[in-house]
């Protein structure tokens, strides 16, 4: 590798591009350049690890660019403290320099990384949400499917016609809730939408900072679903509200689930771990959550996979490790922890 380029940030800057980084693992979250430099220099752990990896999108464009930006979807392994394994990053950078030189943009550049081991393709929901987000951030028009989706959520088409709505249209609608009457339309129609639309819409709303009134509506629907033991509705409403800044309401939702008959259900627990992990910095809530995971004996290895997921998240690591040392654990939780180390 050439000596002067030591990080991806430098590689992109030296190639004369403007660039941005987003986490793609948990929720699509922008990582600012200062934080990204600290991650690349292993000064700080990767903030949103998933499955032992940093899963990210790097969007970059020529300073003179008129075309859409280029995007690399990348997956790098992390060490046990969730810090970037530098050898992998260096390997990727050397492959880029070998394939492209410093000419990172242009039509010919993009196909050359197709077989790169660090490149991955996000699932359809994430890809649609990311496309919608980029168009928004670049002040570009939404996709051709947006207007039809907007019409659908206004109630003018008939909700039974959900098959006519494209996934990308649902994503564009979710990422443009502040346009026109979209936010108020969503509040009015959420309760009557068919599950076939609610499920993908919730997957898009995860990446959106929804309003507090909308968060309250989702919480009310989730509380009702807990009472009715409607697991799918619980999961959908938790996902839909999980991007909100109203963390107190999300915490209330988690407490409601954990106190309900669905408290030890695998799907509910995995959704809390994957979407509402910030609420688990509260030691008591985390304790109850881990108790519930230990109680689930339908799925083999559920407790250990949840433990491994949460202990890797930097803001949760000290709290999760604290549970190992806690003295007032139940027999069930003690046994589950014992199995981790056996």
């Amino acid at each position: 590798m050439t000596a002067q380029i030591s990080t991806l940030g430098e590689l992109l800057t030296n190639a004369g591009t403007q660039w941005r980084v987003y986490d793609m693992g948990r929720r699509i979250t922008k990582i600012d350049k200062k934080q990204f430099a600290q991650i690349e220099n292993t000064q700080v752990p990767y903030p949103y690890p998933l499955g032992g990896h940093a899963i990210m999108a790097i969007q970059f464009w020529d300073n003179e660019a008129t075309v859409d930006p280029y995007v690399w979807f990348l997956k790098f392994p992390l060490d046990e403290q969730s810090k970037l394994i530098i050898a992998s990053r260096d390997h990727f950078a050397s492959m880029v320099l070998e394939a492209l030189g410093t000419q990172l943009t242009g039509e010919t550049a993009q196909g050359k990384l197709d077989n790169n081991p660090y490149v991955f393709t996000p699932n359809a929901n994430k890809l649609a949400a990311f496309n919608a987000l980029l168009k928004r951030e670049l002040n570009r028009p939404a996709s051709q499917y947006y207007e039809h989706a907007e019409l659908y959520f206004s109630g003018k088409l008939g909700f039974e016609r959900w098959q006519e709505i494209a996934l990308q249209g649902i994503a564009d609608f979710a990422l443009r809730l502040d346009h026109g009457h979209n936010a108020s339309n969503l509040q009015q129609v959420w309760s009557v939408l068919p599950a076939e639309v609610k499920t993908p819409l919730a997957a898009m709303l995860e990446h959106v900072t929804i309003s507090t009134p909308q968060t309250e509506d989702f919480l009310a629907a989730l509380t009702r679903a807990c009472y009715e033991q409607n697991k799918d509705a619980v999961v959908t409403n938790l996902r839909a509200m999980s991007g909100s800044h109203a963390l107190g309401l999300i915490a209330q939702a988690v407490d409601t689930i954990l106190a309900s008959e669905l408290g030890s259900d695998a799907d509910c627990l995995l959704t809390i771990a994957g979407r509402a992990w910030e609420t688990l910095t509260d030691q008591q809530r985390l304790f109850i959550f881990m108790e519930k995971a230990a109680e689930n004996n339908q799925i083999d290895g559920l407790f250990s996979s949840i433990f491994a997921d949460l202990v890797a998240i930097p803001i949760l690591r000290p709290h999760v490790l604290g549970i190992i040392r806690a003295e007032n654990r139940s027999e069930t939780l003690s046994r589950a922890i014992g199995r981790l180390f056996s």
Side-chain angles (χ1 to χ4, degrees):
M1 238 184 92
T2 52
Q4 73 272 25
I5 290 176
S6 58
T7 65
L8 295 182
E10 284 178 27
L11 177 70
L12 291 156
T13 302
N14 290 3
T17 70
Q18 300 283 335
W19 54 276
R20 292 174 184 164
V21 183
Y22 300 83
D23 174 63
M24 293 291 288
R26 289 182 177 270
R27 144 179 341 129
I28 300 172
T29 309
K30 198 186 256 178
I31 297 175
D32 70 46
K33 286 188 177 177
K34 185 182 168 199
Q35 187 181 23
F36 189 62
Q38 291 172 328
I39 290 165
E40 283 214 79
N41 292 316
T42 65
Q43 292 163 321
V44 298
Y46 190 75
Y48 316 109
L50 190 66
H53 285 80
I55 301 173
M56 62 180 78
I58 299 181
Q59 172 207 7
F60 59 98
W61 61 98
D62 263 329
N63 292 334
E64 292 81 57
T66 47
V67 295
D68 280 340
Y70 302 95
V71 179
W72 289 337
F73 292 112
L74 303 174
K75 192 172 176 177
F76 292 115
L78 301 170
D79 68 15
E80 69 284 350
Q81 289 186 313
S82 298
K83 287 186 173 175
L84 198 62
I85 294 176
I86 292 300
S88 311
R89 190 273 320 270
D90 290 351
H91 185 212
F92 171 74
S94 66
M95 290 175 87
V96 169
L97 287 168
E98 206 171 302
L100 309 177
T102 52
Q103 188 55 47
L104 303 185
T105 56
E107 286 317 300
T108 53
Q110 292 315 295
K112 291 186 182 172
L113 293 178
D114 283 353
N115 296 323
N116 191 296
Y118 304 103
V119 172
F120 80 104
T121 304
N123 67 34
N125 284 341
K126 280 260 172 73
L127 208 48
F130 189 70
N131 285 335
L133 175 73
L134 288 201
K135 287 202 157 56
R136 240 204 99 124
E137 296 213 327
L138 298 165
N139 295 318
R140 303 266 171 98
S143 77
Q144 68 204 60
Y145 309 106
Y146 168 57
E147 283 180 19
H148 197 68
E150 196 177 34
L151 201 60
Y152 177 84
F153 290 112
S154 73
K156 289 173 186 154
L157 285 182
F159 296 123
E160 73 285 351
R161 291 172 66 180
W162 57 268
Q163 277 151 313
E164 297 172 19
I165 312 299
L167 187 66
Q168 189 60 58
I170 294 174
D172 289 321
F173 173 80
L175 271 295
R176 289 172 191 252
L177 282 186
D178 54 351
H179 289 208
H181 299 290
N182 288 353
S184 57
N185 286 346
L186 175 63
Q187 275 194 276
Q188 281 166 7
V189 306
W190 177 256
S191 61
V192 293
L193 288 176
E196 292 87 352
V197 175
K198 263 188 184 171
T199 304
L201 178 56
M204 305 307 167
L205 290 170
E206 289 178 5
H207 313 295
V208 178
T209 309
I210 55 168
S211 69
T212 300
Q214 181 68 74
T215 312
E216 288 168 339
D217 285 1
F218 289 143
L219 174 60
L222 178 142
T223 305
R224 204 161 45 247
C226 279
Y227 178 73
E228 293 164 358
Q229 292 183 45
N230 181 344
K231 179 178 78 175
D232 292 346
V234 169
V235 167
T236 299
N237 281 286
L238 184 60
R239 290 185 73 173
M241 70 191 287
S242 63
S244 172
H245 282 173
L247 262 180
L249 295 175
I250 298 171
Q252 242 178 289
V254 171
D255 292 343
T256 302
I257 296 167
L258 294 176
S260 76
E261 297 287 330
L262 293 168
S264 55
D265 175 83
D267 290 336
C268 292
L269 291 169
L270 290 167
T271 306
I272 292 169
R275 308 299 192 295
W277 72 92
E278 295 105 326
T279 67
L280 300 176
T281 53
D282 178 287
Q283 197 72 19
Q284 196 182 354
R285 183 175 299 115
L286 177 64
F287 227 100
I288 296 167
F289 175 80
M290 296 309 276
E291 287 268 2
K292 294 292 183 183
E295 281 169 23
N296 181 300
N297 45 24
Q298 273 96 29
I299 294 192
D300 202 35
L302 179 73
F303 181 86
S304 56
S305 69
I306 284 178
F307 184 93
D309 183 43
L310 297 185
V311 81
I313 301 173
I315 61 164
L316 290 183
R317 187 176 176 82
H319 302 284
V320 177
L321 292 175
I323 284 181
I324 296 173
R325 294 186 293 273
E327 286 166 11
N328 54 339
R329 295 192 309 241
S330 71
E331 191 54 41
T332 311
L333 185 53
S334 294
R335 268 202 309 273
I337 288 170
R339 278 197 296 275
L340 288 177
F341 298 100
S342 61

